[in-house]
């Protein structure tokens, strides 16, 4: 690991002032690992894990979640289990209890891809070394993107939590080094790779995630389903976060986000548009899934993901529209 | 170098550390407590699991300098003197290990697991009320690998102390 300076920030303001030349340290479960491999080489770590950002507060505008809340604390919070069950399930579907205890909400959003060519410093990777190429394109790309990828990068974002946040229309609140704040829809936090795949998200240098806000009245039917190679402690091959209401026999407030298929949590807007205000049936579900995946592209080993995603969307829609389980109003 | 002071198994210890030092290396190399094991050193195997401020974490992925002021329990702190904890006794009586390398992590992890159940914390296989059963144990222990494959006996050992103080 490359030597670095360590500072523990006493406040968010102090953190952003110090953070512009360094990296923020939350739980460190991804960053410290990448530093050991010297894929991440910060000169300075600004520890934000002790800031007063561990609260979860319920208010008229929704549930305010501090960026320093651990993944396990958020997943187990009574209000999250009751009102945002898909988020609780998504969090608990990720990693292990040891990692969830350490990993923070802010850090989960900002974790890097698990593409093996990103991790292998002897292979070409435009995300790790811009301009070096992408060995995943013609490599073992079973876990890679089928939507929104580019010729420069086919890596996927590994988070389960971020997929749930995108589906729930959560908002990410940040503080910038100049003291200003902004609200970013969770669905817009990450970006597609284009020709700059080394940039994962829209945050500026030194911009700190301070909170996440979950809408006060999410859809009443929610589901998170993750398809993976092992039943525990594995990244998604494909996952889906689905939320909807049934009003007078018609689908409403339909929100679909897919994980494991793109450089960011993928909001299935085409499918949502077809489903909204329609009566649920198998043909409608198939049409919606087909429309969403019409532009999906496989790269060989991951061709099966297109069919798998289609089936996962259809099955999730069927199960959730037939479910008897709704969250309390 | 950075000064750190923390409570390890009930004793206050202080040390000067390089910022790069992991909590695991602080315990093993600086404090002379080799119970916690270095398996993968990347958070994948769980051999380094310790309990910090009441919750289990991978000490290999955690910087020692960030734990100033924390309370750490390692496998060396589970027994009361010569008297093993109920979980340690159960591991012995159920043959819950072969080579033993993963065992300190398994024990710390399982000790914390029993507390998580008592606190009613859910796992992904929890449906409604949190209860301890084989499915829950297998899910909750998925961060601790055992290459000897003692999993069945580990699950039996944990089940046998469920309901007793860990």
């Amino acid at each position: 690991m490359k030597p670095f300076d360590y500072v523990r920030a006493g406040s968010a303001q102090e953190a952003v002032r110090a953070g512009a030349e360094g990296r923020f340290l939350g739980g460190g479960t991804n960053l410290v690992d990448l530093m050991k491999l010297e894929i991440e080489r910060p000169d300075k770590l600004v520890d934000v894990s002790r800031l007063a950002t561990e609260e979860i507060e319920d208010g008229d505008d929704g549930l305010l979640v501090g960026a320093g809340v651990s993944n396990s604390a958020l997943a187990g919070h009574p209000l999250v289990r009751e009102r945002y069950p898909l988020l609780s399930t998504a969090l608990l579907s990720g990693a292990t209890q040891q990692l969830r205890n350490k990993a923070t909400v802010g850090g989960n959003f900002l974790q890097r891809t698990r593409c093996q060519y990103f991790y292998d410093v002897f292979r070409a990777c435009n995300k790790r070394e811009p301009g070096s190429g992408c060995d995943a394109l013609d490599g073992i790309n079973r876990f890679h993107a089928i939507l929104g990828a580019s010729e420069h990068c086919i890596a996927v974002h590994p988070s389960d939590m971020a997929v749930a946040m995108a589906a729930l229309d959560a908002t990410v609140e940040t503080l910038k080094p100049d003291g200003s704040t902004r609200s970013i829809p969770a669905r817009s936090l990450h970006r597609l790779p284009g020709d700059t795949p080394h940039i994962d998200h829209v945050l500026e240098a030194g911009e700190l995630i301070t909170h996440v806000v979950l809408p006060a009245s999410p859809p009443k039917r929610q589901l998170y389903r993750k398809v993976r190679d092992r039943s525990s402690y594995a990244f998604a091959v494909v996952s889906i976060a689905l939320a909807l209401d049934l009003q007078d026999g018609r689908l409403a407030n339909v929100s679909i986000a897919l994980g494991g298929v793109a450089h960011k949590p993928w909001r299935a807007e085409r499918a949502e548009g077809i489903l909204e205000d329609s009566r649920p049936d198998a043909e409608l579900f198939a049409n919606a899934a087909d429309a969403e995946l019409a532009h999906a592209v496989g790269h060989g080993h991951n061709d099966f993901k297109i069919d798998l995603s289609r089936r996962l969307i259809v099955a999730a829609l069927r199960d959730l529209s037939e479910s008897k389980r709704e969250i309390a109003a | 170098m950075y000064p750190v002071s923390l409570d390890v198994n009930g004793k206050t210890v202080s040390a000067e550390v390089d910022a790069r030092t992991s909590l695991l290396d602080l315990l093993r190399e600086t404090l002379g407590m080799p119970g916690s094991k270095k398996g993968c050193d990347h958070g994948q195997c769980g051999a380094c699991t310790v309990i910090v401020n009441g919750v289990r974490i991978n000490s290999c992925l955690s910087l020692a300098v960030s734990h100033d002021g924390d309370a750490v329990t390692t496998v060396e702190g589970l027994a009361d003197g010569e008297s093993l904890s109920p979980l340690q006794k159960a591991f012995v009586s159920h043959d819950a290990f072969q080579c033993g390398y993963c065992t300190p992590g398994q024990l710390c992890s399982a000790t914390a697991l029993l507390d998580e159940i008592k606190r009613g914390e859910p796992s992904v296989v929890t449906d409604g009320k949190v209860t301890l059963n084989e499915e829950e144990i297998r899910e909750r222990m998925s961060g601790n690998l055992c290459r000897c494959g003692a999993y069945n006996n580990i699950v039996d050992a944990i089940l046998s102390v469920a309901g007793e103080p860990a």
Side-chain angles (χ1 to χ4, degrees):
Chain A
M1 198 185 295
K2 205 172 144 283
F4 59 90
D5 291 330
Y6 170 90
V7 288
R8 190 183 278 193
S11 67
Q13 287 75 13
E14 201 180 301
V16 292
R17 279 198 297 273
E21 322 116 54
R23 294 290 304 271
F24 298 122
L25 175 70
T29 54
N30 187 219
L31 180 57
V32 173
D33 194 25
L34 291 169
M35 286 168 64
K36 287 184 183 192
L37 299 166
E38 298 196 353
I39 293 167
E40 295 276 8
R41 297 176 294 256
D43 292 325
K44 180 156 87 174
L45 281 189
V46 180
D47 189 345
V48 293
S49 66
R50 307 289 175 121
L51 298 183
T53 54
E54 293 181 20
E55 301 91 4
I56 299 178
E57 276 176 46
D58 197 23
D60 292 342
D61 297 333
L63 196 69
L64 186 72
V65 179
V69 172
S70 74
N71 285 190
S72 51
L74 185 61
H77 193 280
L79 275 176
V80 175
R81 293 179 72 186
E82 184 186 311
R83 200 188 297 162
Y84 313 98
L86 81 79
L87 173 60
S88 183
T89 305
L91 284 159
L92 294 172
S93 303
T96 66
Q97 186 68 25
Q98 288 98 313
L99 292 165
R100 290 189 294 269
N101 283 339
K102 199 79 172 54
T104 63
V105 169
N108 189 315
F109 274 116
L110 302 185
Q111 64 182 303
R112 310 296 310 270
T113 184
R114 259 64 177 187
C115 172
Q116 67 269 33
Y117 299 100
F118 174 73
Y119 268 77
D120 184 346
V121 295
F122 299 104
R123 306 300 295 264
C125 172
N126 287 321
K127 186 179 278 298
R128 176 169 33 77
E129 232 24 89
S132 65
C134 172
D135 274 353
L137 280 172
D138 297 314
I140 308 292
N141 50 36
R142 184 169 176 276
F143 275 93
H144 291 73
I146 54 170
L147 290 164
S150 74
E151 60 184 328
H152 305 286
C153 181
I154 57 171
V156 298
H157 196 267
S159 173
D160 292 294
M161 183 201 79
V163 178
M165 294 286 193
L168 288 169
D169 282 319
T171 308
V172 175
E173 306 286 337
T174 70
L175 178 67
K176 292 193 202 182
D178 66 5
S180 64
T181 60
R182 65 168 167 160
S183 304
I184 304 166
R187 62 193 291 178
S188 311
L189 178 66
H190 300 95
R191 56 188 295 286
L192 292 176
D195 56 6
T196 51
H198 58 291
I199 305 170
D200 291 348
H201 50 74
V202 301
L203 298 184
E204 296 166 15
E207 186 172 6
L208 177 70
I209 299 177
T210 56
H211 297 88
V212 176
V213 182
L214 291 158
S217 303
K220 293 192 176 54
R221 291 165 182 256
Q222 299 179 19
L223 173 151
Y224 187 80
R225 188 171 293 171
K226 180 175 181 178
V227 180
R228 46 183 164 175
D229 288 342
R230 295 187 300 234
S231 60
S232 186
Y233 197 16
F235 290 101
V237 177
V238 180
S239 69
I240 185 168
L242 174 61
L244 55 86
D245 287 313
L246 269 180
Q247 291 170 358
D248 304 324
R250 290 177 182 274
L251 298 165
N253 306 319
V254 181
S255 172
I256 304 174
L258 300 174
V261 297
H263 199 252
K264 62 178 195 173
W266 186 267
R267 269 294 286 262
E269 292 170 9
R270 286 193 183 86
E272 291 171 6
I274 290 171
L275 294 160
E276 192 71 22
D277 204 29
S278 299
R279 293 192 181 278
D281 70 48
E283 196 186 334
L284 175 77
F285 299 159
N287 289 343
D290 284 341
E292 192 60 48
L293 295 162
H295 301 285
V297 179
H299 301 277
H301 296 277
N302 69 346
D303 291 347
F304 74 100
K305 276 194 180 186
I306 300 172
D307 219 23
L308 181 60
S309 302
R310 181 181 288 115
R311 292 177 193 183
L312 185 60
I313 293 170
V314 170
L317 284 164
R318 181 195 61 216
D319 292 352
L320 199 57
S321 56
E322 289 175 0
S323 170
K324 301 266 185 290
R325 206 179 278 192
E326 288 199 351
I327 62 169
Chain B
M1 300 293 275
Y2 296 81
V4 288
S5 179
L6 55 172
D7 177 311
V8 180
N9 299 326
K11 285 188 194 133
T12 302
V13 293
S14 298
E16 294 265 321
V17 297
D18 184 300
R20 294 171 288 182
T21 311
S22 67
L23 176 60
L24 177 63
D25 283 343
L26 172 70
L27 292 167
R28 288 179 57 87
E29 310 295 334
T30 310
L31 302 178
M33 303 177 70
S36 308
K37 295 292 184 277
K38 186 178 281 191
C40 67
D41 210 25
H42 291 284
Q44 296 174 4
C45 77
C48 68
T49 303
V50 298
I51 302 168
V52 175
N53 300 337
V55 300
R56 48 178 160 151
I57 67 163
N58 302 106
S59 60
C60 75
L61 285 187
S62 212
L63 297 174
V65 65
S66 72
H67 286 286
D68 189 35
D70 285 348
V72 182
T73 302
T74 70
V75 70
E76 289 96 336
L78 297 181
D80 181 9
E82 293 295 304
S83 175
L84 297 179
S85 76
L87 199 56
Q88 287 175 309
K89 285 181 193 159
F91 266 58
V92 174
S93 61
H94 286 82
D95 271 341
F97 46 83
Q98 191 177 179
C99 83
Y101 195 79
C102 73
T103 310
Q106 300 278 2
L107 284 166
C108 285
S109 209
T111 299
L113 180 159
L114 294 172
D115 285 339
E116 287 154 16
I117 297 286
K118 277 183 209 145
R119 292 196 295 263
E121 294 178 16
S123 82
V124 77
V125 300
T126 304
D127 190 12
K129 193 170 177 295
V130 178
T131 51
L132 195 64
N133 54 43
E134 181 176 339
E135 188 188 17
E136 284 279 7
I137 293 172
R138 288 187 184 276
E139 163 58 27
R140 289 168 189 263
M141 292 297 286
S142 70
N144 292 86
L145 301 187
C146 169
R147 291 296 75 164
C148 302
Y151 296 113
N152 291 340
N153 293 354
I154 292 170
V155 172
D156 288 347
I158 298 171
L159 266 178
S160 77
V161 294
E164 293 177 37

